Amino acid sequence: MPLDVAVAIVGPPAPPPAPVTAPLKPYRINPGDEIEVYVWGDERLQRTLKVLPDGSFSFPLVGRIEALDKLPTDLEGVIVKGLADQYRNSVPRVTVSVRNPTGLTYSVAGRVKSPGSFTPGHYVNVLEAISVAGGPTEFADLAKTKIYRKKGGELVVIDVKLDSAMKGSPSQADLKTGLIELQSGDVVVVP
């Protein structure tokens, strides 16, 4: 009586799936950032500048430049355009880079272990901000957390519910509000 034999060919194990990461958001200039401007071929115009509290800075031969919420590449174009009448031929290439992103700051107040003002150097969400502030204290009411954000001349209040997220069982609604990305100048208050 013949036997049916199945043969399995075993190869190397499949590689683990690549982690899914969100694309990084380009950095936008904030007041207090230190930027470096380099005009290629003209070292006299190389400058390290601090963005003023109103979001502007001044550059030789160009004047006052609005930098708030702009990308470094946006500023390169503004400087090239401002220098255009200073050169006979084409304007040299201009490079703008953020040397020190100290303008991205937020504060955490209320019932957290280490309240204060923070300058992370990268974008953070509300959950990360509270963690950086040492986490909530024992009597913190995470269901009533708020973000105070300046929008023009107004103050906008954003309600954030973090109680179930901090207990390890977040609902989709909690994740949506807990992952709100903070903007420079935001104040997170944990009552």
Side-chain angles (χ1 to χ4, degrees):
M1 182 152 125
L3 294 171
D4 288 334
V5 177
V7 178
I9 300 175
V10 179
V20 178
T21 57
L24 294 176
K25 182 175 143 184
Y27 186 77
R28 296 193 172 271
I29 307 293
N30 292 294
D33 283 343
E34 189 175 61
I35 60 172
E36 185 173 50
V37 180
Y38 189 80
V39 179
W40 293 88
D42 197 342
E43 279 95 33
R44 296 171 302 157
L45 293 177
Q46 181 174 345
R47 298 279 190 279
T48 299
L49 305 158
K50 195 150 194 144
V51 178
L52 297 173
D54 68 356
S56 71
F57 66 93
S58 293
F59 193 75
L61 305 175
V62 178
R64 185 174 179 272
I65 298 172
E66 290 291 331
L68 182 64
D69 245 0
K70 297 223 169 48
L71 299 171
T73 53
D74 297 338
L75 298 178
E76 291 170 2
V78 170
I79 293 170
V80 166
K81 186 177 178 184
L83 291 175
D85 61 350
Q86 303 295 321
Y87 292 89
R88 283 194 175 147
N89 299 323
S90 63
V91 177
R93 183 175 166 93
V94 174
T95 303
V96 176
S97 57
V98 179
R99 189 172 198 186
N100 196 356
T102 55
L104 180 61
T105 61
Y106 66 89
S107 299
V108 182
R111 292 188 171 149
V112 291
K113 293 177 183 163
S114 299
S117 185
F118 302 92
T119 305
H122 59 87
Y123 295 109
V124 296
N125 61 43
V126 181
L127 210 49
E128 292 170 318
I130 292 173
S131 295
V132 169
T137 61
E138 183 180 354
F139 297 108
D141 188 354
L142 294 169
K144 295 180 181 173
T145 302
K146 299 198 181 306
I147 301 171
Y148 293 90
R149 178 174 291 167
K150 294 177 205 162
K151 289 261 190 184
E154 295 182 16
L155 188 63
V156 177
V157 180
I158 303 167
D159 292 321
V160 182
K161 186 177 177 195
L162 294 173
D163 51 337
S164 66
M166 291 299 245
K167 290 177 185 170
S169 57
S171 68
Q172 285 303 317
D174 289 352
L175 283 177
K176 187 176 179 181
T177 62
L179 298 178
I180 292 174
E181 191 172 272
L182 295 180
Q183 296 177 5
S184 188
D186 281 356
V187 177
V188 177
V189 177
V190 181

